[in-house]
Amino acid sequence: MDWMIYGANGYTGELIAREAKTRGKAPILAGRNASKIAGLAGELHLPSKAFALQSPPEIAAALQNVGVLLNCAGPFSKTADPLIRACLATKTHYLDITGEIEVLEAAHRLDAEAKSAGVVLCPGAGFDVVPTDCIALMLKKQLPEATDLALGFEIADRHMSPGTAKTTVEGLGKSGKIRRAGRIVELPIGQGSRHIDFGRGRKLAIPIPWGDVASAYYTTGIPNITVYTPVSSASLNVARLINGLGFILRSPWVQNWLVGMIEKNVKGPAAATREASRTWVWGEARDASGQSREMRIVTLNGYSFTVQSSLAIVEYLMSNDPPPGCWTPALLMGENFILSLPGTSALDLPRPME
């Protein structure tokens, strides 16, 4: 069975392609930029295809005889829908590494179509959202009647890839998002702060519109979900200021200018930076009676983690026949999937909070 990496010439896609080659795998490298795809494929001695995403017949033709597609081309708001629909038509399993709430929600709305087509859809197969999704399911099993779920992470290095930076720009000036009573609702950026120990001591943290606001609900059924990351007091003040500048930051001129600056200047973290960086991931569940559980893990930096998790899920789909439908990573692979990946260890497993 053939498999394909779309967006293989991007920062994370190239990391995944190089690791796949190291493991003796032979993915088809694909993307929109024919010269870059051909150059990388030539260097790695791998097959390649170049195709854009404007023509559904062209996408479907490119996916013929492809068993699994791993989409690494962000922002996924622009690439996920045409690729997912082509996968449904060609009966190709679909994975991506998105953390975009709207993309995750849209994929889950196609659950019935995926089942009818005999296809697995599993968006969020990278750092967004595998670690937090697995923690969410662990906590759900420890506290089955949980009504509130809080998740979060602290990263040692904040260097971004171009794709991640572009996705961040898309979100500038927009409200944050949390889930309440089963529905996704807006929360202005900077509101709802609290202090959390992610694994390195208590720090000020704010809610962020992370993918688990969508995916953790499908994993656990818990109706109230918030995702946090630590910030400095100065950053919190900037976040609150941005709320008032949303109409400017969302303007096409500003968006296009920022994207242009990213394309010129953002390269993504170097190998030495990735290897030196760690990520601390935390979760907390509470039920109506006041019982609670929390846990923490430490893992690789987000990009290295994404390489490991996405390839593990590709390999699973290539050698197994799971039921079709739209899956979250934890439901597809099990809650202990996170602990099976290199560089990950539990700081503390679910336990009652003090």
Side-chain angles (χ1 to χ4, degrees):
M1 180 192 297
D2 289 334
W3 66 285
M4 176 184 288
I5 303 172
Y6 190 83
N9 59 297
Y11 178 81
T12 308
E14 182 176 339
L15 292 178
I16 294 170
R18 291 185 181 279
E19 177 63 19
K21 177 66 176 181
T22 298
R23 297 184 185 188
K25 310 299 182 183
I28 301 167
L29 306 188
R32 291 162 285 190
N33 189 314
S35 62
K36 290 184 177 180
I37 287 293
L40 180 62
E43 177 189 344
L44 298 180
H45 303 288
L46 292 172
S48 66
K49 292 183 180 181
F51 59 96
L53 302 181
Q54 284 73 39
S55 169
E58 182 182 359
I59 304 170
L63 293 181
Q64 290 299 321
N65 302 315
V66 172
V68 179
L69 170 68
L70 173 57
N71 177 17
C72 300
F76 297 91
S77 59
K78 294 179 171 60
T79 64
D81 185 69
L83 285 171
I84 288 175
R85 294 190 181 278
C87 285
L88 295 174
T90 58
K91 301 189 182 303
T92 301
H93 296 320
Y94 173 88
L95 306 173
D96 68 30
I97 54 173
T98 189
E100 298 165 47
I101 291 172
E102 293 81 3
V103 173
L104 291 158
E105 284 288 306
H108 282 278
R109 286 195 291 270
L110 295 173
D111 178 63
E113 292 183 43
K115 289 176 178 174
S116 179
V119 166
V120 169
L121 307 178
C122 185
F127 180 75
D128 313 6
V129 294
V130 169
T132 37
D133 197 48
C134 288
I135 284 180
L137 187 53
M138 290 180 187
L139 291 169
K140 172 66 175 181
K141 290 189 174 183
Q142 285 286 319
L143 198 64
E145 300 304 317
T147 57
D148 293 84
L149 177 66
L151 301 164
F153 57 91
E154 179 181 354
I155 57 179
D157 179 81
R158 293 186 176 272
H159 285 87
M160 293 184 184
S161 70
T164 302
K166 289 176 184 177
T167 299
T168 301
V169 164
E170 277 195 348
L172 289 176
K174 296 181 181 178
S175 181
K177 287 183 170 59
I178 58 176
R179 192 179 285 270
R180 291 294 179 266
R183 298 182 59 193
I184 295 175
V185 297
E186 293 188 349
L187 179 73
I189 297 294
Q191 290 191 14
S193 62
R194 58 177 286 191
H195 285 83
I196 297 170
D197 180 1
F198 294 92
R200 298 201 295 175
R202 284 168 57 83
K203 295 184 178 179
L204 178 67
I206 60 171
I208 57 171
W210 198 250
D212 295 278
V213 173
S215 58
Y217 179 70
Y218 297 102
T219 298
T220 67
I222 296 174
N224 304 306
I225 301 170
T226 309
V227 184
Y228 294 89
T229 199
V231 294
S232 65
S233 297
S235 295
L236 177 57
N237 291 332
V238 170
R240 289 169 173 165
L241 177 63
I242 285 174
N243 288 323
L245 300 175
F247 69 100
I248 297 174
L249 296 172
R250 292 192 301 269
S251 70
W253 184 88
V254 171
Q255 289 277 311
N256 290 337
W257 181 79
L258 289 171
V259 167
M261 293 298 292
I262 289 167
E263 291 175 345
K264 290 180 181 178
N265 300 306
V266 177
K267 306 301 180 187
T273 301
R274 294 195 307 271
E275 291 169 6
S277 301
R278 305 288 282 168
T279 306
W280 291 261
V281 187
W282 163 89
E284 168 194 288
R286 296 179 179 272
D287 67 15
S289 71
Q291 292 189 82
S292 59
R293 299 288 187 275
E294 69 173 347
M295 75 166 295
R296 299 173 184 85
I297 63 170
V298 61
T299 190
L300 304 172
N301 72 87
Y303 296 105
S304 298
F305 182 93
T306 294
V307 172
Q308 299 294 332
S309 63
S310 60
L311 283 176
I313 299 175
V314 168
E315 291 170 1
Y316 175 79
L317 291 176
M318 294 285 284
S319 58
N320 292 275
D321 188 24
C326 188
W327 293 79
T328 65
L331 289 180
L332 181 64
M333 304 296 289
E335 69 272 20
N336 291 318
F337 174 52
I338 174 65
L339 298 177
S340 73
L341 296 172
T344 300
S345 58
L347 294 177
D348 42 28
L349 292 172
R351 61 180 173 80
M353 290 181 62
E354 298 178 357

